[in-house]
Amino acid sequence: MTDLKYRLAPASEMSRYCFPNNAVSGDASRCVCLIDSSTVEEINHIVHNGGLYKRPFNEAFEETPMLVAVLTYVGYGVLTLFGYLRDFMRQWKIEKCQNATEREEQKDFVPLYQDFENFYNRNLYMRIRDSWNRPICSVPGAKVDMMERVSHDYNWTFTYTGRVIKDIINMGSYNYLGFAQKTGACQEAAAKVLSQYGAGVCSTRQEMGNLDKHEELEKLVARFLGVESAMAYGMGFATNSMNIPALVGKGCLILSDELNHASLVLGARLSGATIRIFKHNNMQSLEKLLKDAIVHGQPRTRRPWKKILILVEGIYSMEGSIVRLPEVIALKKKYKSYLYLDEAHSIGALGPSGRGVVEYFGLNPEDVDVMMGTFTKSFGAAGGYIGGKKELIDYLRTYSHSAAYATSMSPPVVEQIITSVKCIMGEDGTNIGRARVQQLAENTRYFRRRLKEMGFIIYGNEDSPVVPLMLYMPAKIGAFGREMLKRNIGVVVVGFPATPIIESRARFCLSAAHTKEMLDTALKEINEVGDLLQLKYSRRRLVPLLDRPFDETTYEETED
Amino acid sequence: KRVRDTRTKLAPAYHLILEGILILWIIRLLFSKTYKLQERSDLTLKEKEELIEEWQPEPLVPPVPKDHPALNYNIVSGPPTHIITVNGKECINFASFNFLGLLNNEKVKSAAQASLKKYGVGTCGPRGFYGTFDVHLELEERLAKFMRTEEAIIYSYGFATIASAIPAYSKRGDIVFVDEAACFAIQKGLQASRSNIKLFKHNDMADLERLLKEQETEDQKNPRKARVTRRFIVVEGLYMNTGDICPLPELIKLKYKYKVRIFLEESLSFGVLGEHGRGITEHFGINRLSGQGYCFSASLPPLLAAAAIEALNIMEDSPDIFQTLRAKCERIHKALQGISGLKVVGESFSPALHLQLEESCGSRENDVKLLKRVVDYCMNSGIALTQARYLEKEEKCLPPPSIRVVITVEQTEQELDKAASLLKEAAQSVLN
């Protein structure tokens, strides 16, 4: 009872969905496109481009149904009207004003917050504020304990009842390989290093803060990624914002994806280079920008650009999409530009042995000029790294803002990373790492398939462990979060401004630590809440696989 | 005659002239070149491909000479505590910012161990998405109580704290008055905020007042704009680059006179100044104002938060360590006076001093090389020191090269005297 009709795309439409022949030297003639011929325009295409893609690339972003979009706007309109009403009442003292107010002595200072800037904050965000900043009091593993909090004044202030809600299934923490543990080899090693080295370093890398542990970590990370050299920093966000300005400056061009993370955007802004944005994961848009940049040079002076840097991410955490890395690398080679790949979410989570999106596509790590990533998500620690050629890392050791001014990483954190990397690589003598990577892949495919069968709109790539489930309407954001918590499942909901205003969503982060029972429980509850809140917007229905709970294709089978 | 009359009745002279001018104008427009608003390339496909072929970018990074001073890091084996092993040699640590000696404190370590057993290492998420732990909330409460403010928030990275806090309040169009000697993190925060920056000479209140007066006259010209432009002063409690403190009472007076808000960066003065270590406001006896902000990145690992809470406990339980620290600072400050060739920069109670060359050799590179020889001499004799490191091309007002001397409560008086005499010796042998 599937609605899909398959047909081979005619040549005229191939350029829309597949890779045009003249852009890349590769055989695009075997491009097969599946086009949904129902009324909903959903592009679900599988590209078997002979030279570039060694595995199928399944990405789907179902379009918002018209009725839902209209109702969402109506919802926001009603909220805005109510917002104005409440502001009016607050101004005329009919309602008590709870915002932060100035001290008496400073009443005639220019106010810190302009009224209109804060309208969204006061009247929309405040109503559903309890969905965020939920305090937990246990290790953020597959199950977590949360501190119960109530609000007696509509979320302006919270009080803690003192009770702890135990064993909530955690679908919100970035724990892809399950290394957030309070027992085990990693924790023991970290405890030993803590007692030996202490918790802090109190100096910068260039002064007295370069411990032997840091050198060990960097050599290991370089080996793990397959690059010549690597450097580690104390904070993932700061890795981007402090190193991009060291690499590019005025007279350079940055081509950045539409949906890049705030840290990449900040780093690009601080560098002083010209920034141009290409449509999300759209290779035609990127190629057009590259061509125009080289042909026309800098605006007005027409001088050639000093260098061009392309900023992309491995997995985009709000969309769940994976970057089209083979095509980006082909473009980069053709137009002699440099590639900066931010693997914050994809390192550890993709690839047959967890080495990230480069391994996932079967590419050579030397093709990526700057490989950046974070240790927060798959390694259960904190911090970031940059890997690449030796000249690049030497340059960063000398000129990075972080090396000169920021305190180096804390030793127990470093040890946690070292142990977890060794575990993933299999060097600790066990099979745990490999098993976890496979478990994550299985969990991902199972979870996504079941959600699609239920009829939710799920964005993103089939293999991405980040699963966004569309909610759209503002009221459902708060309702979904609260209903799931009532059923003992912790989820993350996101709205404006992290997403476009009508595309608010719930985002599930899968983990290798989730067992099948946990996933089934979660799916059952999501199904219930989906029926309760009428979230099953999808017009496509996948035929459910009744006999096989896990998808047959695992990594072994698709390895070339 | 009648025909002429009808003609003049139908079309007056000015009308004809106007129409004539219009016709001439239309003819001119028809034949003039069109004004292209959008750049349309007149290049052929082949020319474009040639341009693409010819273009050669710069290498991603320029090569770094092997002997660049910032490239060869000191390798510290083992913990960076009071006795530190640098490059294989055991020395007394005068280079790590361990003012209260808490790096090796057993109570702090055991609090961190307990937290490690309960929470693991990482938080796996930002504050908004299940990354807020009860330890974070406790630490924020304790900090707010300790510093006597309404609320406090914590960041996971020291550099990022001030670099994110400034753009959270000060946006495009606002005005910020900042001291020249402000550290690099403040400079980056200001750059990210896109506000108008006005630098005033280091600790010079007259210069600041002049700038404020200028701004006031500007405001009077455009009162509507002035009413929505926020104004801030950014200063540090204890300046990292010069070792002296800001004159906070005068700043407060200026604040109320010109209606400016103050950002106070206290990374060095927290736990150092004041009777109980509350920082520069306690040093001068002033109350604080409230502040709020946001975090955008993964939260602080809970074991570090637990260690910080324990450190606060220690600070509250034994306030005499601040007196001890101050006494040691005074002692070494006095002992370092009179070294030929080196001058001491910093207040007598500052635990982070700079030793600069009295006379520069001419170029910064040679100064750095000379200071390196002094540092190496001291390292070989068992005192670990370091030069203060800056990104030379990026700083707005680059401080001169210097040796950083850090005083901690763990250093004994003999060790302080030994360091001072060793520095004298080194200066004698290298600089003379």
Side-chain angles (χ1 to χ4, degrees), chain B residues 8-36:
Chain B
T8 45
K9 253 192 261 177
L10 287 167
Y14 72 89
H15 206 155
L16 284 171
I17 295 170
L18 195 60
E19 285 184 17
I21 292 175
L22 280 172
I23 291 174
L24 285 171
W25 191 258
I26 291 171
I27 294 172
R28 178 175 173 265
L29 281 176
L30 278 171
F31 288 108
S32 69
K33 274 166 84 166
T34 46
Y35 178 61
K36 289 180 208 167

Coordinates of all heavy atoms in Angstrom, one line a residue, chain B residues 8-36:
Chain B
T8 N -2.0 80.2 -31.1 CA -1.5 80.6 -29.8 C -2.5 80.2 -28.7 O -2.1 79.8 -27.6 CB -1.2 82.1 -29.7 OG1 -2.3 82.7 -30.3 CG2 0.1 82.4 -30.4
K9 N -3.8 80.2 -29.0 CA -4.8 79.8 -28.0 C -4.6 78.3 -27.7 O -4.7 77.8 -26.6 CB -6.2 80.0 -28.5 CG -6.9 81.2 -27.9 CD -8.4 81.2 -28.2 CE -8.6 82.3 -29.3 NZ -10.0 82.4 -29.8
L10 N -4.3 77.5 -28.7 CA -4.3 76.0 -28.5 C -3.0 75.7 -27.7 O -3.0 74.8 -26.9 CB -4.3 75.3 -29.8 CG -5.6 75.2 -30.6 CD1 -5.4 74.7 -32.0 CD2 -6.6 74.3 -29.8
A11 N -1.8 76.3 -28.1 CA -0.6 75.8 -27.5 C 0.3 77.0 -27.1 O 0.9 77.6 -27.9 CB 0.2 75.0 -28.5
P12 N 0.3 77.4 -25.8 CA 1.1 78.5 -25.3 C 2.6 78.1 -25.5 O 3.0 77.0 -25.6 CB 0.8 78.6 -23.8 CG -0.2 77.5 -23.5 CD -0.6 76.8 -24.7
A13 N 3.4 79.2 -25.5 CA 4.9 79.0 -25.9 C 5.6 78.1 -24.9 O 6.3 77.2 -25.3 CB 5.5 80.4 -25.9
Y14 N 5.4 78.3 -23.6 CA 6.1 77.5 -22.6 C 5.8 76.0 -22.8 O 6.6 75.1 -22.6 CB 5.8 77.9 -21.2 CG 4.4 77.6 -20.7 CD1 4.2 76.5 -20.0 CD2 3.4 78.5 -20.9 CE1 2.9 76.1 -19.5 CE2 2.1 78.2 -20.4 CZ 1.9 77.1 -19.7 OH 0.7 76.7 -19.2
H15 N 4.5 75.7 -23.2 CA 4.1 74.3 -23.4 C 4.9 73.7 -24.5 O 5.4 72.5 -24.4 CB 2.6 74.3 -23.7 CG 2.0 73.0 -23.4 ND1 0.6 72.9 -23.1 CD2 2.4 71.8 -23.2 CE1 0.3 71.7 -22.8 NE2 1.4 70.9 -22.9
L16 N 5.1 74.4 -25.6 CA 5.8 73.9 -26.7 C 7.3 73.6 -26.3 O 7.9 72.6 -26.7 CB 5.8 74.9 -27.9 CG 4.5 74.9 -28.7 CD1 4.5 76.0 -29.7 CD2 4.3 73.6 -29.5
I17 N 7.8 74.6 -25.6 CA 9.2 74.4 -25.2 C 9.4 73.2 -24.3 O 10.3 72.4 -24.5 CB 9.7 75.7 -24.5 CG1 9.7 76.9 -25.4 CG2 11.1 75.5 -23.9 CD1 9.9 78.2 -24.8
L18 N 8.5 73.1 -23.4 CA 8.5 71.9 -22.5 C 8.5 70.6 -23.3 O 9.3 69.7 -23.0 CB 7.4 72.0 -21.5 CG 7.5 71.1 -20.2 CD1 8.8 71.4 -19.5 CD2 6.3 71.3 -19.4
E19 N 7.5 70.5 -24.2 CA 7.4 69.3 -25.0 C 8.7 69.0 -25.8 O 9.1 67.9 -25.9 CB 6.2 69.4 -25.9 CG 4.9 69.2 -25.1 CD 3.7 69.2 -26.1 OE1 3.9 69.0 -27.3 OE2 2.6 69.4 -25.6
G20 N 9.2 70.1 -26.3 CA 10.5 69.9 -27.1 C 11.6 69.4 -26.2 O 12.3 68.4 -26.6
I21 N 11.7 69.9 -25.0 CA 12.7 69.4 -24.1 C 12.5 67.9 -23.8 O 13.4 67.1 -23.8 CB 12.8 70.2 -22.8 CG1 13.3 71.7 -23.1 CG2 13.7 69.6 -21.8 CD1 13.2 72.6 -21.9
L22 N 11.3 67.6 -23.5 CA 11.0 66.2 -23.2 C 11.3 65.3 -24.4 O 11.9 64.2 -24.1 CB 9.5 66.0 -22.9 CG 9.0 66.4 -21.5 CD1 7.5 66.4 -21.3 CD2 9.7 65.5 -20.4
I23 N 11.0 65.7 -25.6 CA 11.3 64.8 -26.7 C 12.8 64.6 -26.8 O 13.4 63.5 -27.0 CB 10.8 65.4 -28.0 CG1 9.2 65.3 -28.0 CG2 11.3 64.6 -29.2 CD1 8.6 66.0 -29.1
L24 N 13.6 65.7 -26.6 CA 15.0 65.6 -26.7 C 15.5 64.7 -25.6 O 16.4 63.9 -25.8 CB 15.7 67.0 -26.5 CG 15.6 67.9 -27.7 CD1 16.0 69.3 -27.4 CD2 16.4 67.4 -28.9
W25 N 15.0 64.8 -24.4 CA 15.4 63.9 -23.3 C 15.1 62.4 -23.6 O 16.0 61.6 -23.4 CB 14.6 64.3 -22.0 CG 15.1 63.7 -20.8 CD1 14.6 62.6 -20.2 CD2 16.3 64.1 -20.1 NE1 15.3 62.3 -19.1 CE2 16.4 63.2 -19.0 CE3 17.2 65.1 -20.2 CZ2 17.4 63.3 -18.1 CZ3 18.2 65.2 -19.3 CH2 18.3 64.3 -18.2
I26 N 14.0 62.1 -24.2 CA 13.7 60.7 -24.6 C 14.7 60.2 -25.6 O 15.2 59.1 -25.5 CB 12.2 60.6 -25.1 CG1 11.2 60.9 -24.0 CG2 12.0 59.3 -25.7 CD1 9.8 61.0 -24.4
I27 N 15.0 61.1 -26.6 CA 16.0 60.7 -27.6 C 17.3 60.4 -26.9 O 18.0 59.4 -27.2 CB 16.1 61.7 -28.7 CG1 14.8 61.9 -29.4 CG2 17.2 61.4 -29.6 CD1 14.8 63.1 -30.4
R28 N 17.7 61.2 -25.9 CA 18.9 61.0 -25.3 C 18.9 59.7 -24.5 O 19.9 58.9 -24.5 CB 19.2 62.1 -24.3 CG 20.5 61.9 -23.5 CD 20.9 63.1 -22.7 NE 22.0 62.8 -21.8 CZ 22.0 62.3 -20.6 NH1 20.8 62.1 -20.0 NH2 23.0 62.0 -19.9
L29 N 17.8 59.4 -23.8 CA 17.8 58.2 -23.0 C 17.8 56.9 -23.9 O 18.4 55.9 -23.6 CB 16.5 58.1 -22.2 CG 16.5 59.0 -20.9 CD1 15.1 58.9 -20.2 CD2 17.5 58.4 -19.9
L30 N 17.1 57.1 -25.1 CA 17.1 55.9 -25.9 C 18.5 55.5 -26.4 O 18.8 54.4 -26.6 CB 16.2 56.2 -27.1 CG 14.7 56.0 -26.9 CD1 14.0 56.5 -28.1 CD2 14.4 54.5 -26.7
F31 N 19.3 56.5 -26.6 CA 20.6 56.3 -27.2 C 21.8 56.2 -26.2 O 22.9 55.8 -26.6 CB 21.0 57.3 -28.3 CG 20.1 57.1 -29.5 CD1 19.1 58.0 -29.8 CD2 20.4 56.0 -30.3 CE1 18.3 57.9 -30.9 CE2 19.6 55.9 -31.5 CZ 18.6 56.8 -31.7
S32 N 21.5 56.5 -24.9 CA 22.6 56.4 -24.0 C 22.8 54.9 -23.5 O 21.9 54.1 -23.7 CB 22.3 57.2 -22.7 OG 21.2 56.6 -22.0
K33 N 24.0 54.6 -23.0 CA 24.3 53.3 -22.6 C 23.5 52.9 -21.3 O 23.3 53.7 -20.4 CB 25.8 53.2 -22.2 CG 26.7 52.9 -23.4 CD 28.1 53.1 -23.0 CE 28.7 51.9 -22.4 NZ 30.2 52.0 -22.3
T34 N 23.0 51.7 -21.3 CA 22.2 51.2 -20.1 C 23.1 51.1 -18.9 O 24.3 50.6 -19.0 CB 21.6 49.9 -20.4 OG1 22.5 49.0 -20.9 CG2 20.4 50.0 -21.3
Y35 N 22.6 51.4 -17.7 CA 23.3 51.3 -16.5 C 23.1 49.9 -15.8 O 22.0 49.6 -15.5 CB 22.8 52.4 -15.5 CG 23.5 52.4 -14.2 CD1 24.9 52.6 -14.0 CD2 22.8 52.2 -13.0 CE1 25.5 52.6 -12.8 CE2 23.4 52.2 -11.8 CZ 24.7 52.4 -11.7 OH 25.3 52.4 -10.5
K36 N 24.1 49.1 -15.8 CA 23.9 47.8 -15.3 C 24.0 47.8 -13.8 O 25.0 48.1 -13.2 CB 25.0 46.9 -15.8 CG 24.8 46.6 -17.3 CD 26.0 45.7 -17.8 CE 26.2 46.0 -19.3 NZ 27.4 45.4 -19.7

